[in-house]
Amino acid sequence: MEKTPFVTKEVLLEIVKEYPTPFHIYDEKGIRENAEKLKQAFSWNKGYREYFAVKATPNPFILNILKDYGCGADCSSMTELMMSDAIGYSGSDIMFSSNDTPAEEFQLADQLGGIINLDDITHIEFLEKATGHIPETISCRYNPGGIFKISNDIMDNPGDSKYGMTTEQLFEAFKILKSKGAKKFGIHAFLASNTVTNEYYPLLAKVLFELAVKLKEETGAEITFINLSGGIGIPYRPGQESNDIMAIGEGVRKVYEEILVPNDMGDVAIYTELGRFMLGPYGGLVTEAIHEKHTHKEYIGVDACAVNLMRPAMYGAYHHITVMGKEQEACSHKYDVVGSLCENNDKFAIDRMMPEISKGDLLFIHDTGAHGYAMGYNYNGKLRSAELLLKENGEVELIRRAETPKDYFATFDFCDILKNTKYDI
Ligand SMILES: *Cc1c(COP(=O)(O)O)cnc(C)c1O
């Protein structure tokens, strides 16, 4: 697949007059079309619901768009629960899939009536102590261990992952929960991340559906939903083929009809908790080239840095970069595209062949819609950028303002250090 920005240079030049770079911009049209397609892909399942993984793009404006497609909110922390509550999610609109969970977070999730997905067998007692009861609807997270393979390809390594319960623990947990009054059960697993194959979900579904049949037989628990969680990936690299969500939906339907339907479980709802797939391609980080440096390598310095997009620094992740207005030019120059952190891994691209870049060029860093802004931080005293929404009607809406020094200094408001200095702002 070729990588083309969803916004033109002309439009960006207008936008930067009002909103200085760097900023993340999101494509409402793309988000809507994709959410609609996902809904179609699973429309065969009566109870189907996508719980958007709020952590991927925790912005109320984005959540409100997804609400139009029936999405719920998958939360993993206190503030994500607060945000979801504030914009009207309640009860079973909320999935609380957290791990290493503090007691106050279980309390809030419980107060809001959200579905609690337990990461560990010891959390049964912990939850009961924190909230005074076991909710009637409860979910448990599964980790079969070992290596998750598709044919001979290793997809991920659940045996090395901190999440979920072992098979034995899961059966035990269901029995305990049932004895404590739980009536409706769900199972959840997230066994591979950013999969660019149509086979991941159907394979995961097979594992979970077979497990559900056994759990029902052995514990008598009423399983009402199976949560396939996140993990459907996106093609970050040019030439990579996208997932076909219709084929994925069909693949899951096939195993559903093979395994659940004959076992009298044809009314089980399928849930998903996609983050990256919902938003990743529909966001971009726009930054300006402000320096060029010729030393042992050729460097382009931009006004964004790893605090705006951490994935390249953290995982060596590839994000495609378009030099706006130079789409047709030959990739004749080899660059490291760098930010200003005092960290040598603050590089958006390393040894990448690109068109010749001049100071003042706008660069569009692709696929930052999920786990982009969200992973931001304040190292080197850097401030988080704004988030903008390119609306379907072509207008641009500010959906989060950029941080100012005042935000950065706000956590010193309890003491006098900045009082009566010019930084007392
Ligand atoms: C991160 C996460 C997701 C979303 O993952 P994506 O790779 O963005 O689809 C879903 N569920 C849980 C529990 C997660 O931790």
Side-chain angles (χ1 to χ4, degrees):
M1 212 177 76
E2 218 184 309
K3 311 262 339 159
T4 318
F6 52 78
V7 59
T8 61
K9 181 182 175 187
E10 289 62 42
V11 171
L12 283 180
L13 286 174
E14 282 305 307
I15 295 173
V16 297
K17 285 183 193 159
E18 191 168 355
Y19 304 106
T21 54
F23 53 78
H24 286 270
I25 185 164
Y26 303 95
D27 173 25
E28 180 178 10
K29 184 162 178 280
I31 296 169
R32 286 188 181 278
E33 285 172 2
N34 186 62
E36 178 59 36
K37 231 189 290 168
L38 174 71
K39 202 172 144 188
Q40 294 299 329
F42 285 91
S43 58
W44 55 266
N45 182 255
K46 214 166 124 257
Y48 173 73
R49 192 159 196 199
E50 152 73 1
Y51 287 86
F52 175 63
V54 176
K55 75 162 195 264
T57 323
N59 188 304
F61 292 83
I62 299 287
L63 295 183
N64 273 331
I65 294 175
L66 294 175
K67 234 187 197 175
D68 290 347
Y69 303 86
C71 296
D74 166 34
C75 301
S76 60
S77 67
M78 189 71 125
T79 48
E80 289 176 7
L81 285 167
M82 290 162 74
M83 183 184 292
S84 304
D85 179 27
I87 59 172
Y89 289 88
S90 67
S92 60
D93 301 334
I94 296 174
M95 180 70 63
F96 187 56
S97 283
S98 69
N99 71 96
D100 189 22
T101 314
E104 318 81 77
E105 298 189 2
F106 274 140
Q107 285 159 359
L108 181 57
D110 183 58
Q111 267 171 37
L112 300 178
I115 303 173
I116 293 176
N117 181 31
L118 296 173
D119 181 68
D120 189 44
I121 189 162
T122 61
H123 292 190
I124 298 173
E125 214 181 310
F126 190 86
L127 172 70
E128 197 175 25
K129 200 154 160 246
T131 65
H133 75 135
I134 291 294
E136 280 199 0
T137 300
I138 192 94
S139 172
C140 291
R141 183 165 184 169
Y142 178 52
N143 181 340
I147 282 168
F148 193 79
K149 280 189 192 168
I150 296 183
S151 316
N152 281 324
D153 291 343
I154 294 179
M155 301 300 295
D156 226 318
N157 187 356
D160 202 28
S161 125
K162 66 171 175 168
Y163 309 110
M165 308 182 196
T166 67
T167 311
E168 214 177 20
Q169 288 172 338
L170 191 70
F171 280 81
E172 184 64 21
F174 267 50
K175 287 178 197 157
I176 298 171
L177 288 164
K178 199 157 176 267
S179 74
K180 289 181 181 291
K183 299 220 157 42
K184 293 181 172 175
F185 289 79
I187 42 180
H188 167 283
F190 191 163
L191 302 187
S193 191
N194 190 28
T195 59
V196 194
T197 158
N198 295 335
E199 289 175 68
Y200 168 63
Y201 252 21
L203 266 174
L204 173 68
K206 186 168 188 296
V207 170
L208 291 181
F209 294 172
E210 285 170 351
L211 181 70
V213 171
K214 283 198 204 126
L215 276 165
K216 183 184 147 191
E217 277 170 8
E218 209 172 294
T219 69
E222 189 197 345
I223 295 168
T224 58
F225 64 88
I226 291 174
N227 185 341
L228 301 176
S229 189
I232 297 188
I234 57 168
Y236 284 99
R237 290 176 184 272
Q240 248 183 329
E241 204 170 322
S242 322
N243 286 315
D244 176 351
I245 197 65
M246 297 313 285
I248 291 173
E250 269 309 297
V252 175
R253 188 226 281 258
K254 206 163 149 259
V255 275
Y256 190 97
E257 285 172 358
E258 253 166 46
I259 301 168
L260 291 183
V261 173
N263 280 288
D264 202 20
M265 295 176 79
D267 54 356
V268 170
I270 300 299
Y271 294 164
T272 56
E273 292 175 339
L274 298 166
R276 194 185 314 271
F277 180 78
M278 301 307 285
L279 255 297
Y282 313 111
L285 173 60
V286 179
T287 182
E288 184 186 330
I290 55 172
H291 291 288
E292 45 183 291
K293 175 167 177 170
H294 314 281
T295 52
H296 307 291
K297 295 182 92 171
E298 296 297 300
Y299 294 99
I300 293 295
V302 296
D303 61 3
C305 62
V307 306
N308 306 114
L309 175 67
M310 195 189 200
R311 299 184 71 258
M314 190 169 178
Y315 316 117
Y318 180 95
H319 278 264
H320 196 65
I321 301 177
T322 297
V323 185
M324 298 307 295
K326 297 188 173 172
E327 290 84 345
Q328 304 310 323
E329 290 184 20
C331 293
S332 53
H333 283 62
K334 190 193 265 187
Y335 289 120
D336 279 16
V337 177
V338 305
S340 56
L341 291 191
C342 304
E343 281 287 345
N344 198 41
N345 66 357
D346 184 13
K347 296 184 175 184
F348 292 117
I350 298 174
D351 293 334
R352 188 160 319 167
M353 296 306 295
M354 302 176 74
E356 183 168 18
I357 297 173
S358 314
K359 282 187 277 183
D361 279 347
L362 288 176
L363 274 54
F364 183 93
I365 305 182
H366 291 251
D367 302 316
T368 71
H371 313 293
Y373 178 94
M375 288 171 89
Y377 54 110
N378 280 124
Y379 188 49
N380 267 201
K382 297 289 178 181
L383 304 174
R384 290 180 179 82
S385 78
E387 294 181 288
L388 306 178
L389 181 67
L390 178 64
K391 308 220 310 189
E392 281 186 301
N393 62 10
E395 283 170 18
V396 169
E397 186 180 358
L398 181 69
I399 59 171
R400 188 193 302 260
R401 68 161 172 81
E403 282 182 345
T404 66
K406 189 172 174 180
D407 297 307
Y408 183 77
F409 291 116
T411 42
F412 298 113
D413 61 355
F414 65 97
C415 66
D416 291 338
I417 290 177
L418 300 173
K419 282 265 151 57
N420 304 320
T421 74
K422 65 180 174 199
Y423 302 107
D424 183 13
I425 42 184

